[in-house]
Amino acid sequence: MKTKKRLTILLSFCLGAALFMSTAFADVFSKEGYDQFKDAIKYTCEKLSGDYDSYTSEVALSIKDNDTLIMSNAVIAKVDMVNGKRENISTDEYGNGKKESYYYYEDTKCSIRKDSDKDTYYLYEYENERDVKDISDFNNPFEEEEAEDIEKIFDALIGNLKHHVIVKENNDGTKEFSGTISDAQIPALINAVTSFFFKQAVSGSNLGDDEFIPNLKDDVFINTVSGNAGVNNDGIIDNLFASFVLSGKDENGVEHKLTFEAVMKIYNINSTFVTKPDLTGKEVEKDVVKSDPDAYISGKYLGKWKSDIVIEKHDSFIKIGEKFVEITAIDDRYVYGKYYEVYKEEYAEYAEGKRDFEFKLDTEEDWTRFEGVDASGNPIDGFIWFERGYINMYINGDIRSEEEVYNNQFNKVFEE
């Protein structure tokens, strides 16, 4: 499966290591440098999660193998917290030259999405207007229960690496952090931990039709970590670059040098405007989203829900299989379920990338968004709507063949 979310998850450990190790580039000009940068990260997260009226952010992530692009993802996000609006434009580029883009808009009354390979805009109107506080594009990770423990672990791992930084304080109140660490300076413990988690979470992962992160087996070590960041006179990080280079050999003994890079910019703070797209004359598929899920998400939704998998071929519609949503449990807070697909034997070629995963929906956090993981440990998320008599389900990054007829409505399977 190709999902823009997956690229971010696969990069999270490596780029997270790059970020925290580059935050550790301190203490050259002052003993407080390390703590200053951590404070800047925390302050930035706090401001973006609700203190600003509006802002625009750009984040670009990429993976290269021996200087050859595997995949990149770029996201431009505009957030207007005062008026309860946000807009995301995401673009994926693969090593074979293929590009895909995704558009998403949301306000207090509706949400709109569109994929680049389809002409249809999917409009979801909310039965009752939502609170502007529900419209946000950023959750503060330092408010999570595990944040303090994770910070302590990074502090312990980094150790003396905090002495490898250049911190420059400018006359206008801004700061610049930069630094580079090579393999000879990286402790064996960090290399061992990195190698283990890379093999477990990232190595060999599929990102697209033909795009794989090489399955590194031997001699896995950190080659270089470098980064630079700017802190504006308001105290937030408004630009950041992090690079993480990992070397190793695959099962055939072929050497690989994997480069993970991230670039972030934040601008138009408190001056970003988000405009709802004009759908006049566009092909629109509209649905209504219920506002009080507790009033109708009950035991009646337990069981199987089915949707036909249909292709258009030779001027005919042909059923090639079925996809199922099975709701397995519902309690006071969570909805549990699984999704899977079954293809007819004569259409087995369409089943190559079939999806099969379990998911959970937290109605207290967001009663339309589910999260799950497949048998290979790959994270999956999307949106699900419990309608009267049927279920709508949208899987983020769900890319189908050009022949397949898109249908996200699942109907109840009744036992005869």
Side-chain angles (χ1 to χ4, degrees):
M1 179 193 300
K2 304 186 291 295
T3 75
K4 55 182 178 296
K5 185 73 173 179
R6 176 178 298 178
L7 177 60
T8 305
I9 297 299
L10 291 176
L11 286 171
S12 63
F13 175 76
C14 293
L15 289 178
L19 174 61
F20 275 92
M21 291 173 76
S22 52
T23 68
F25 297 151
D27 228 16
V28 168
F29 293 119
S30 74
K31 289 185 178 180
E32 295 77 27
Y34 178 47
D35 292 327
Q36 285 182 38
F37 203 92
K38 284 203 302 182
D39 288 344
I41 294 175
K42 294 177 181 179
Y43 186 66
T44 301
C45 292
E46 178 184 341
K47 300 293 278 188
L48 294 182
S49 62
D51 285 359
Y52 284 140
D53 290 342
S54 65
Y55 64 88
T56 300
S57 67
E58 292 186 30
V59 178
L61 308 170
S62 69
I63 305 174
K64 294 180 181 178
D65 177 18
N66 297 332
D67 295 325
T68 299
L69 178 69
I70 298 178
M71 184 182 181
S72 67
N73 170 250
V75 179
I76 300 175
K78 296 181 178 181
V79 182
D80 179 353
M81 295 186 182
V82 172
N83 297 300
K85 297 180 180 180
R86 68 183 177 104
E87 179 183 63
N88 283 27
I89 300 174
S90 176
T91 303
D92 292 342
E93 182 175 354
Y94 299 90
N96 60 9
K98 183 178 181 180
K99 291 185 178 181
E100 299 167 346
S101 62
Y102 311 87
Y103 176 84
Y104 183 79
Y105 168 87
E106 183 178 19
D107 60 29
T108 59
K109 296 181 179 180
C110 73
S111 65
I112 300 169
R113 64 172 179 83
K114 182 185 183 299
D115 297 342
S116 58
D117 61 338
K118 299 181 178 70
D119 294 328
T120 304
Y121 287 81
Y122 296 93
L123 169 62
Y124 298 95
E125 297 179 335
Y126 304 129
E127 186 178 47
N128 293 323
E129 188 169 353
R130 302 169 66 194
D131 194 307
V132 293
K133 296 179 181 179
D134 294 332
I135 311 298
S136 176
D137 195 59
F138 185 85
N139 294 319
N140 189 346
F142 291 99
E143 293 181 351
E144 300 295 330
E145 293 182 3
E146 304 86 355
E148 185 176 346
D149 292 334
I150 293 174
E151 183 179 341
K152 290 179 180 178
I153 293 172
F154 270 107
D155 286 346
L157 280 175
I158 287 167
N160 289 331
L161 290 180
K162 66 178 66 175
H163 299 290
H164 287 271
V165 133
I166 296 174
V167 182
K168 180 182 178 183
E169 296 190 17
N170 301 317
N171 293 331
D172 60 357
T174 63
K175 296 180 182 180
E176 298 174 21
F177 293 79
S178 63
T180 299
I181 298 176
S182 64
D183 56 340
Q185 298 167 305
I186 297 172
L189 176 60
I190 290 181
N191 259 321
V193 172
T194 302
S195 175
F196 174 79
F197 279 102
F198 179 82
K199 290 176 181 178
Q200 295 295 316
V202 180
S203 189
S205 296
N206 171 237
L207 296 176
D209 291 332
D210 304 305
E211 292 76 28
F212 289 85
I213 297 179
N215 193 4
L216 302 187
K217 294 290 188 179
D218 301 308
D219 300 332
V220 180
F221 66 95
I222 302 170
N223 193 291
T224 59
V225 177
S226 61
N228 57 70
V231 176
N232 67 14
N233 50 24
D234 190 32
I236 75 157
I237 302 170
D238 61 3
N239 67 88
L240 178 144
F241 169 79
S243 176
F244 182 93
V245 181
L246 197 70
S247 296
K249 296 179 181 179
D250 63 23
E251 59 268 26
N252 298 317
V254 178
E255 294 186 358
H256 296 268
K257 184 177 289 187
L258 299 178
T259 301
F260 300 80
E261 291 183 343
V263 178
M264 181 195 74
K265 296 180 181 180
I266 300 172
Y267 54 95
N268 289 346
I269 296 172
N270 294 333
S271 62
T272 292
F273 298 95
V274 182
T275 303
K276 181 179 178 180
D278 185 1
L279 301 184
T280 304
K282 307 293 185 181
E283 182 178 334
V284 179
E285 183 176 308
K286 186 168 66 173
D287 211 336
V288 176
V289 180
K290 302 292 184 180
S291 298
D292 182 11
D294 293 335
Y296 61 94
I297 297 182
S298 63
K300 62 178 175 286
Y301 285 96
L302 292 170
K304 290 183 180 180
W305 301 77
K306 182 183 72 172
S307 179
D308 292 336
I309 303 175
V310 177
I311 61 172
E312 184 178 0
K313 198 169 186 178
H314 305 309
D315 200 30
S316 298
F317 292 112
I318 304 170
K319 178 180 175 179
I320 63 172
E322 296 173 335
K323 49 188 178 181
F324 294 88
V325 173
E326 187 171 344
I327 305 301
T328 56
I330 299 174
D331 59 29
D332 292 340
R333 177 170 180 175
Y334 297 103
V335 177
Y336 302 87
K338 56 184 178 180
Y339 172 96
Y340 56 95
E341 299 170 358
V342 178
Y343 288 82
K344 295 181 178 180
E345 291 185 6
E346 59 267 35
Y347 297 102
E349 68 271 18
Y350 291 91
E352 182 177 348
K354 70 176 182 179
R355 284 147 291 268
D356 188 339
F357 60 88
E358 295 184 351
F359 65 88
K360 180 173 71 173
L361 182 148
D362 187 342
T363 60
E364 291 187 9
E365 292 292 331
D366 184 344
W367 54 268
T368 65
R369 184 176 182 274
F370 70 82
E371 294 183 338
V373 62
D374 65 18
S376 300
N378 297 315
I380 296 172
D381 66 352
F383 297 90
I384 186 168
W385 294 271
F386 292 85
E387 306 293 349
R388 187 175 183 183
Y390 64 94
I391 291 175
N392 271 331
M393 187 176 195
Y394 170 71
I395 304 170
N396 280 335
D398 189 9
I399 307 300
R400 304 282 182 156
S401 68
E402 294 182 358
E403 297 174 330
E404 186 165 337
V405 179
Y406 183 82
N407 181 20
N408 65 343
Q409 180 172 316
F410 293 76
N411 297 311
K412 179 72 174 178
V413 177
F414 293 94
E415 301 294 337
E416 299 296 339

